[in-house]
Amino acid sequence: MTDQIPPSLPGWAIDALRAPVTSRGGSPESIMQAVRRFPAPRRLSAPAAVRASRWLRRGSLTGAGGVLLTVMLAFMVSVHRGDQLAVMAQLQTSAVVLGDTVVPAVGAPDSLGARLLDTLRIVQFAIRGPHIGAAEVIGTFNGWHRGSTAMASDSPQADEWRARVLVPRDALDFAFVVSDASETPMRERVIPAAPLPAQN
C-alpha cells in the first residue's frame, strides 16, 4: 500500500496521521445506545392554510372538476370564435380579372434564339371593411409568402384596400391577411377567399 500522505504537511501532522488508532470494543454499541435514547421524530403537519389542497397533492381533477373545466374552456373558445366571425362578417373581398398581358417568360431563350412569352392575368384584389390597419394578399402566385404582395388604400380613413397583381393562369388559390387597427396589440386574421375562375 502506498503512502498517500502529502509530504507538504508539517512533520507533526504526518506523525499524527501515521500513529496507530486504537478503539474500544464497545464503541459502536455505546454510540447506538446514545442514539436510541433520543425520542423518535414525529411527523410534522403544516397548518391547514399552508397545506397543499387535495387537487394540488393529487395532481389531477375530480370527475366533476374536469367537466366544469371543459365547459369553461369551451365557452371561452366559442366567445372568442364568435367575436372573430362577427369581425369577418363585416369584411367583403373581391378578385376581378381585368384582362391578360404578355410578358417575357422567366428563363433562357429557346434553341432558335427566340424569346419565350408568357400570358399572365391582371387581377385586382380588394378587401373592404372597418378598422383595417394593414392588408396583403397571399396565394399560389406568390408562393404563399407573407409580405410579398401588400395592399394599399387611397387614404388612412378608407375602408377599401386594393392590389393589382399579375397572376399566372394556373394560380387560382389565394387569401387575404388583415391586421385590425382597432386592437392593441394588432391581431392578424387570414381571410380565405373563393379561388379565381379557371381559364381554358
Side-chain angles (χ1 to χ4, degrees):
M1 180 173 170
T2 58
D3 191 2
Q4 297 182 356
I5 299 174
S8 59
L9 291 175
W12 63 267
I14 294 174
D15 293 339
L17 289 172
R18 287 186 177 154
V21 177
T22 57
S23 64
R24 292 174 288 176
S27 296
E29 185 60 33
S30 62
I31 292 173
M32 291 307 298
Q33 287 176 1
V35 169
R36 288 187 191 103
R37 282 195 290 266
F38 286 105
R42 290 184 304 145
R43 183 176 176 183
L44 299 178
S45 61
V50 178
R51 254 181 276 157
S53 68
R54 180 180 174 199
W55 178 69
L56 290 176
R57 281 186 279 123
R58 287 180 56 195
S60 62
L61 289 173
T62 61
V67 170
L68 181 62
L69 182 62
T70 303
V71 169
M72 289 174 54
L73 290 176
F75 176 73
M76 291 169 59
V77 169
S78 65
V79 168
H80 178 68
R81 181 71 177 157
D83 177 47
Q84 282 192 335
L85 292 176
V87 173
M88 287 183 180
Q90 296 177 355
L91 299 176
Q92 300 173 352
T93 62
S94 66
V96 179
V97 179
L98 302 177
D100 291 338
T101 185
V102 178
V103 297
V106 177
D110 65 3
S111 59
L112 300 176
R115 295 191 68 181
L116 298 177
L117 299 178
D118 193 6
T119 303
L120 300 178
R121 293 193 284 179
I122 306 170
V123 180
Q124 178 168 292
F125 297 99
I127 185 166
R128 298 169 206 76
H131 310 299
I132 297 177
E136 63 178 302
V137 61
I138 56 176
T140 51
F141 63 90
N142 62 10
W144 300 96
H145 291 304
R146 297 288 311 277
S148 58
T149 310
M151 304 179 76
S153 64
D154 296 335
S155 67
Q157 293 80 20
D159 288 344
E160 183 171 358
W161 295 68
R162 297 180 186 173
R164 191 171 289 186
V165 185
L166 297 178
V167 177
R169 298 166 71 89
D170 59 347
L172 304 178
D173 297 320
F174 69 98
F176 297 94
V177 180
V178 177
S179 295
D180 193 342
S182 65
E183 298 184 17
T184 305
M186 291 197 313
R187 184 167 58 191
E188 290 183 340
R189 295 180 178 88
V190 177
I191 313 296
L196 292 170
Q199 288 189 338
N200 297 331

